[in-house]
Amino acid sequence: MNVSRIALTGGLAASTVLLLAGTASAHVSVQPEGTAAKGGYATVNVKVPNERDDAATTKVEVNFPTDHPLVSVMPQAVPGWSAEVTKSKLAKPLEMHGQKISEAVSKVTWTAEGAKDERGIRPGSFQQFPLSLGQLPENTDQLVLKAIQTYDDKDVVRWIEEQKPGAEEPESPAPVLTLTDAEGGAHTDDKAAAKETKAASDTPSAASASDTTARVLGIVGIVVGVAGVAFGVLAGRRRTA
């Protein structure tokens, strides 16, 4: 009897731990994490799970930081959803690729379409919203993308709490895109260019090869000419004799 009670208690405890773990991890996030290189472009997914069992998510809004503005944010088409990109004026214009940029993307809003009983993110499921981002900033290690999730019963969940260093994860953490130092990009291109230059210098060029061929043919022609002259002289001597 005691053994059964212990087993039952252990099973309930394990179930509780799994339930809490599942609840804690079910929040809006950016996937994949930590693979976007500073100063480059990246394609990421905003992953939105449905935490409710009696309502569907019908609207998702992702806000972009104004202190590290992104000039280009392009959403990929998602079946059953419409996407709207909102831009805002910058307090201080940016210069990029020789052009002055006075506005940047401030948010992207996805709205579910279709029949009321079928649209949106249904209970027990999630949806990914792909985004192409660029040019990523070089002076920060992360971008905090605060998100707002709206259900069809008008309930709103604000994923806007920023993680404090050394503190526990907040109840409604904001999605974070971690930026890494660029191992590739311009530096890799420079190395590749250097290798190509070295390979080109080690390999004879087409002009050099052609010049060498011409010289060989010229020498062959001279030899053939000399042989012809010698043959003519010998033939003449035989006729005279």
Side-chain angles (χ1 to χ4, degrees):
M1 186 67 176
N2 291 336
V3 174
S4 299
R5 288 182 179 178
I6 292 173
L8 178 60
T9 303
L12 291 174
S15 300
T16 302
V17 170
L18 291 175
L19 179 60
L20 291 175
T23 302
S25 61
H27 53 69
V28 177
S29 60
V30 179
Q31 305 291 334
E33 297 180 357
T35 59
K38 297 178 182 179
Y41 291 77
T43 298
V44 301
N45 290 311
V46 178
K47 183 179 179 181
V48 183
N50 188 332
E51 295 187 313
R52 299 277 301 276
D53 57 6
D54 58 352
T57 296
T58 54
K59 186 177 180 181
V60 176
E61 177 183 307
V62 174
N63 295 271
F64 297 87
T66 56
D67 54 343
H68 299 292
L70 296 176
V71 176
S72 176
V73 177
M74 295 187 295
Q76 180 177 322
V78 177
W81 295 81
S82 63
E84 180 182 0
V85 178
T86 302
K87 294 185 177 182
S88 300
K89 292 287 184 181
L90 296 176
K92 183 179 180 181
L94 298 176
E95 186 169 342
M96 186 176 295
H97 303 301
Q99 296 181 346
K100 286 188 176 181
I101 308 299
S102 60
E103 62 179 13
V105 175
S106 56
K107 69 177 178 179
V108 176
T109 304
W110 290 271
T111 305
E113 299 177 329
K116 183 178 180 180
D117 296 336
E118 299 176 357
R119 66 183 180 181
I121 308 172
R122 313 306 297 178
S125 61
F126 71 91
Q127 178 67 55
Q128 295 194 93
F129 300 94
L131 287 172
S132 175
L133 308 178
Q135 183 176 5
L136 297 173
E138 300 181 6
N139 57 350
T140 183
D141 294 327
Q142 65 177 24
L143 291 178
V144 179
L145 311 180
K146 297 182 178 181
I148 299 177
Q149 181 177 12
T150 303
Y151 290 87
D152 58 7
D153 62 356
K154 307 303 180 183
D155 184 26
V156 176
V157 180
R158 302 179 184 276
W159 304 97
I160 60 175
E161 298 180 62
E162 298 188 33
Q163 177 71 50
K164 303 296 182 182
E168 295 183 358
E169 183 181 62
E171 183 177 352
S172 300
V176 174
L177 175 62
T178 303
L179 303 180
T180 59
D181 291 329
E183 296 180 359
H187 301 291
T188 301
D189 293 341
D190 291 342
K191 292 179 180 179
K195 289 182 179 179
E196 291 179 0
T197 302
K198 185 178 184 301
S201 62
D202 292 340
T203 304
S205 64
S208 298
S210 300
D211 184 62
T212 301
T213 302
R215 289 181 181 179
V216 172
L217 291 176
I219 293 172
V220 171
I222 293 172
V223 172
V224 172
V226 171
V229 171
F231 179 79
V233 172
L234 291 175
R237 288 181 179 179
R238 287 179 181 177
R239 291 193 190 98
T240 304

